[in-house]
Amino acid sequence: MNSNRAVKRIGLLTSGGDAPGMNAAIRAVVRACMYYKIEAVGIYRGYDGLIANDMKTLDSRSVASIIHRGGTILKSARSMEFKTPEGRIKAAENCRMAGIDALVIIGGDGTFRGGLVFQQEHGIPVVGLPGTIDNDLNGTDFTIGYDTAVNTAAHAIDKIRDTASSHNRLFFIEVMGRDSGQIAMRASIAAGAEATMIPERPMNVDELIHILEKGAGRKKSSSLVVVAEGGKPGHSIDLAKEVTDRFEYYDTKVTILGHLLRGGSPTVSDRVLASRLGVVAVEYLLKGISGGMIGIVNNRINFTPFAEATGNVSNFDDEMLRIASILSV
Ligand code: ADP
């Protein structure tokens, strides 16, 4: 959407699942506002805070020393009330009372769906930044938080490899990734796992056992299987049980990394990504462009309307699966 109304006060919030690098994005948005001599208002607890009028003006010093910190200083939330028209009316009234004439929302697909309907209903320009560890949005090569989550997963898997090979064990390591195997796939290649189970390319137990048997035939001292949570946290426990019943070569263990992947200091890649996107988000609003997500594709800034960013996500790269299977022999 293009709008010619001058933007003087930008509200910003983090929403949905938190991701490392959200703080770097907050800092970039606030500092870009200072640079362009407009005001920045931090809204706490995502859309819930917008409805409850929980906000505070931010300046350069409010965001000092946060670029390296995980989590989000603005807190995050999932808001049921914002899904109702009445909740969004309250949110729009609070924006008007606070003089907020545009919003930067940092979150995932749910956050963008909310931003889209809010802009359509109330005419307040909204720009989104991809803040999710899942890397499951169209219109950006990487989302803020993904690189950190993958690094955390790979380092954890390295540690598990040490103990697994000391005991001739088969480990199932479950990583987050709602409907998305991207964290699992990349961490699996980085840590040299034997197999990867992802929702995009389902593998049945027979196929998995076949891979493990081949490894056992080559006298591998351990085997690591990285399993994407895929919307069913804990399902690797059942999977491990099924495999143990049919394949006795290894002693089998399960480690669920869970929320560990959301924490920690963001990597350099995530900090730089968040910094670039935060500045450009403010510049787009000042140019009168809104209604979509700012991402980076092939190292270039890319604007994607919200409906497209959250639509059928088709960014799974089969090349990764091919590389993983060649290297796991
Ligand atoms: P994420 O942004 O990480 O995908 P969620 O899916 O929980 O996280 O979405 C964050 C919030 O966005 C929700 O709690 C809700 O307040 C809002 N939201 C999600 N979908 C919609 C929708 N269709 N309409 C309005 N608000 C929505």
Side-chain angles (χ1 to χ4, degrees):
M1 186 183 101
N2 274 290
S3 141
N4 294 320
R5 228 173 35 199
V7 169
K8 297 198 181 74
R9 216 158 194 244
I10 291 178
L12 72 146
L13 57 82
T14 48
S15 161
D18 62 304
M22 280 184 161
N23 277 329
I26 293 167
R27 172 181 177 272
V29 171
V30 172
R31 296 234 162 133
C33 286
M34 302 299 102
Y35 180 83
Y36 289 107
K37 303 206 177 346
I38 58 172
E39 284 188 294
V41 179
I43 298 151
Y44 292 87
R45 298 180 292 109
Y47 294 129
D48 263 352
L50 196 57
I51 293 169
N53 214 3
D54 189 2
M55 46 181 91
K56 189 176 125 189
T57 304
L58 302 176
D59 62 21
S60 275
R61 299 280 61 79
S62 326
V63 293
S65 299
I66 64 166
I67 193 167
H68 60 296
R69 279 167 52 194
T72 156
I73 60 162
L74 291 178
K75 315 272 186 199
S76 190
R78 294 199 156 93
S79 170
M80 291 316 289
E81 210 181 340
F82 195 77
K83 288 192 169 178
T84 67
E86 297 76 26
R88 293 192 294 272
I89 288 171
K90 276 198 226 166
E93 277 167 6
N94 288 336
C95 281
R96 283 190 195 105
M97 279 192 328
I100 291 171
D101 34 36
L103 281 180
V104 175
I105 56 174
I106 307 165
D109 58 342
T111 300
F112 294 166
R113 271 193 285 275
L116 174 62
V117 68
F118 188 63
Q119 173 159 350
Q120 284 169 342
E121 285 176 350
H122 298 285
I124 297 173
V126 182
V127 157
L129 299 187
T132 163
I133 62 169
D134 290 345
N135 205 33
D136 59 350
L137 292 164
N138 292 317
T140 192
D141 288 341
F142 297 109
T143 56
I144 299 165
Y146 173 64
D147 187 60
T148 307
V150 170
N151 271 276
T152 303
H155 292 136
I157 299 167
D158 288 346
K159 293 185 170 88
I160 290 168
R161 167 84 71 191
D162 290 345
T163 174
S165 49
S166 305
H167 291 276
N168 233 34
R169 273 179 179 154
L170 163 64
F171 261 85
F172 286 83
I173 304 138
E174 185 176 303
V175 300
M176 273 189 171
R178 185 183 51 182
D179 312 317
S180 165
Q182 296 232 29
I183 294 176
M185 195 68 254
R186 200 166 172 88
S188 182
I189 290 176
E194 275 63 35
T196 319
M197 314 271 293
I198 48 173
E200 291 89 342
R201 303 289 179 267
M203 183 198 293
N204 62 35
V205 176
D206 293 336
E207 289 170 271
L208 176 62
I209 288 178
H210 180 65
I211 293 172
L212 296 172
E213 278 170 349
K214 280 202 297 186
R218 289 189 301 276
K219 307 226 173 331
K220 282 200 170 200
S221 65
S222 64
S223 259
L224 305 182
V225 179
V226 180
V227 183
E229 178 186 287
K232 274 195 270 164
H235 77 105
S236 55
I237 295 173
D238 294 335
L239 179 64
K241 196 169 173 311
E242 213 179 325
V243 172
T244 312
D245 289 347
R246 292 171 48 188
F247 182 71
E248 289 179 346
Y249 179 80
Y250 295 114
D251 177 23
T252 305
K253 299 281 175 198
V254 178
T255 298
I256 298 173
L257 297 181
H259 285 78
L260 192 80
L261 300 194
R262 288 197 191 274
S265 179
T267 59
V268 168
S269 293
D270 275 330
R271 295 182 202 190
V272 174
L273 177 65
S275 299
R276 289 178 71 183
L277 296 181
V279 170
V280 174
V282 172
E283 290 174 342
Y284 268 54
L285 285 173
L286 290 175
K287 282 193 277 192
I289 302 168
S290 64
M293 179 198 86
I294 317 270
I296 292 184
V297 174
N298 291 333
N299 206 26
R300 297 215 176 263
I301 295 294
N302 184 61
F303 180 84
T304 309
F306 283 135
E308 247 175 72
T310 60
N312 255 343
V313 179
S314 55
N315 58 359
F316 186 79
D317 187 357
D318 276 307
E319 174 70 358
M320 298 287 274
L321 207 54
R322 193 179 74 84
I323 297 297
S325 85
I326 288 175
L327 296 179
S328 63
V329 292

